[in-house]
Amino acid sequence: MTVATLDHPDRLPRRMAVVVFLAFALAYFFSALVRAITATLSPTLTTEFNLNAQDLGLLAGGYFLGFSLTQLPLGRWLDQHGPKKVVLAFLSVAVLGCLAFSWADSFHGLLAARVLCGMGVSACLMAPLTGYRRWFDVSTQLRTNSWMLMTGSLGMLAATLPVQWLMPIWGWRALFVLLGVMVALAMVLIALVVPRWHTAKLAAGRTQPQPDDDGSYREIWRSAYFWRMTPMGFFSYGGMVAIQTLWAGPWMTQVAGWAPGDAAKGLFLINLAMLMTFWLWGLITPGLARRGIPVERLMAWGLPLSFGVIGGLVWMGPAVGAGAAIGLALLCVTSTFVALAQPAVGMAFPSHLAGRALSAYNLVIFVGIFVVQWGIGLLVDAGLGMGLEKPAAYQVALACFGICSVLSWVYFLLKKPVQP
């Protein structure tokens, strides 16, 4: 990590940079655990609240709906007030959401609590990425973005077998109380170690306000580069997270015929594969940046691998059997090429616009997650209503998602490759 210099007075010293990264990573760990836990709890919640596929998709998607609602004001607040103040305020809402979920006694109560949880943790990635845009150099930003996502995968890993083991002992309500307590502890750490945010730009020993910045998103919406990245963020990135955090579990149980305990082990494998993939991305992306290999080229070449995996899963359906978790893990891993778009969008704009650029793109991703999560549930129920067997209904839904992902990639290739 790069130390502060006269040219970059906001760059953090190495040791402080590591401590700040770890504080934000802890909060993001718990936010990812909250995000992914519904996949492990889906059999229990389905039985206890008599949920159908549409209800389950809406419940999981409620998190992402709440997340999406905050993104535009979040970006403006991050640029104005900085990561520390904003993430602490938002995490307070996350604590309330966890407690509300533990007390819910109806589907609507669960849904409202999930929306609160989504709103509360919606700054857990955007806040650090906004800070990193100012505090770290370009190659370090690529690395820390990948390693933040690796931390998220670790949180999703904790939402699988560990949750499955604790369920018979504590129950899901106590688990959400514990999550609220742990989020509060992460807030204390952030309050102690993350530096204050200076809204003025340091130059020649004086402070100067940023020019022509009225706090709007005008520069973001006018960017051809932003819109080039948008469809892939919506479908491919959003779909990757939608499958990882919800539909991977039902695919293993209702298509491949796995028992819930085996499906939890499968989810553990999927999230472990994602953790290792983001760790490797963090190792190699700085070197790729130094060699002048753009992330756009990596996405253009690498993302089609995921389309082949989707086609294989749809084609095999129930015949995939014991290989379901491996197939789903391959789908998620080969989709991680599109995760490189997020730091690329942040670095395509000046640092005083970073919060808004990142939050606007994050809004695209999380609206996509909500739409794909709920949309797959709607398609599954529609297929069942048309008389399809349950595995066939899931195959049709996944095929529709795959077609949308391919079209978004084609748009990316055809759009004029302009970067601000």
Side-chain angles (χ1 to χ4, degrees), residues 16 19 81 104 118 127 131 188 192 227 231 236 247 256 263 290 332 335-336 349 377:
M16 186 175 184
V19 172
H81 305 292
V188 173
L192 292 175
W227 291 110
S236 293
W247 292 113
R290 286 191 294 270
C332 292
S335 297
T336 59
F349 294 88

Side-chain angles (χ1 to χ4, degrees), residues 11-227:
R11 297 279 166 81
L12 297 181
R14 184 184 301 269
R15 181 174 297 179
M16 186 175 184
V18 171
V19 172
V20 168
F21 172 82
L22 292 175
F24 278 129
L26 181 63
Y28 190 57
F29 169 85
F30 289 118
S31 76
L33 202 165
V34 171
R35 179 200 307 177
I37 198 171
T38 48
T40 305
L41 296 181
S42 60
T44 301
L45 296 177
T46 297
T47 301
E48 187 168 335
F49 292 92
N50 194 27
L51 306 181
N52 56 30
Q54 180 178 340
D55 292 334
L56 191 59
L58 182 57
L59 179 60
Y63 171 100
F64 300 105
L65 176 61
F67 203 110
S68 302
L69 291 174
T70 64
Q71 289 306 294
L72 294 183
L74 170 63
R76 186 177 295 111
W77 294 335
L78 283 171
D79 287 332
Q80 291 176 349
H81 305 292
K84 183 175 182 174
K85 288 183 179 179
V86 173
V87 78
L88 290 176
F90 273 67
L91 285 175
S92 301
V93 179
V95 173
L96 293 176
C98 289
L99 296 178
F101 197 90
S102 71
W103 297 331
D105 57 3
S106 68
F107 169 73
H108 293 98
L110 291 175
L111 180 59
R114 285 295 285 174
V115 172
L116 269 182
C117 287
M119 294 174 68
V121 301
S122 61
C124 285
L125 184 59
M126 293 302 97
L129 292 188
T130 301
Y132 300 161
R133 178 68 179 83
R134 183 181 293 188
W135 297 328
F136 302 155
D137 62 24
V138 171
S139 62
T140 305
Q141 288 177 57
L142 289 170
R143 171 169 289 168
T144 51
N145 178 81
S146 293
W147 283 356
M148 285 294 291
L149 295 175
M150 178 191 73
T151 304
S153 295
L154 185 60
M156 294 181 190
L157 202 65
T160 57
L161 286 180
V163 169
Q164 190 80 6
W165 293 332
L166 290 172
M167 275 285 292
I169 303 172
W170 289 354
W172 63 271
R173 296 182 185 275
L175 285 176
F176 270 87
V177 173
L178 178 62
L179 277 174
V181 172
M182 299 308 294
V183 170
L185 291 177
M187 291 173 61
V188 173
L189 183 60
I190 290 172
L192 292 175
V193 305
V194 173
R196 295 176 60 188
W197 190 252
H198 302 287
T199 56
K201 180 180 178 182
L202 296 176
R206 304 187 306 276
T207 58
Q208 298 176 350
Q210 296 288 359
D212 301 325
D213 186 5
D214 58 1
S216 74
Y217 279 79
R218 184 170 55 250
E219 295 289 336
I220 314 301
W221 304 141
R222 289 177 176 175
S223 168
Y225 185 77
F226 178 87
W227 291 110

Side-chain angles (χ1 to χ4, degrees), residues 309-385:
V309 178
I310 292 172
L313 286 170
V314 171
W315 179 261
M316 296 187 70
V320 72
I326 295 174
L328 291 164
L330 283 174
L331 170 56
C332 292
V333 166
T334 53
S335 297
T336 59
F337 285 91
V338 78
L340 300 172
Q342 197 160 39
V345 169
M347 289 184 289
F349 294 88
S351 61
H352 70 280
L353 292 171
R356 275 161 284 178
L358 288 164
S359 294
Y361 195 67
N362 215 39
L363 174 63
V364 170
I365 293 169
F366 277 83
V367 171
I369 297 169
F370 172 74
V371 170
V372 174
Q373 244 177 12
W374 193 19
I376 288 177
L378 290 172
L379 288 170
V380 169
D381 283 345
L384 294 174

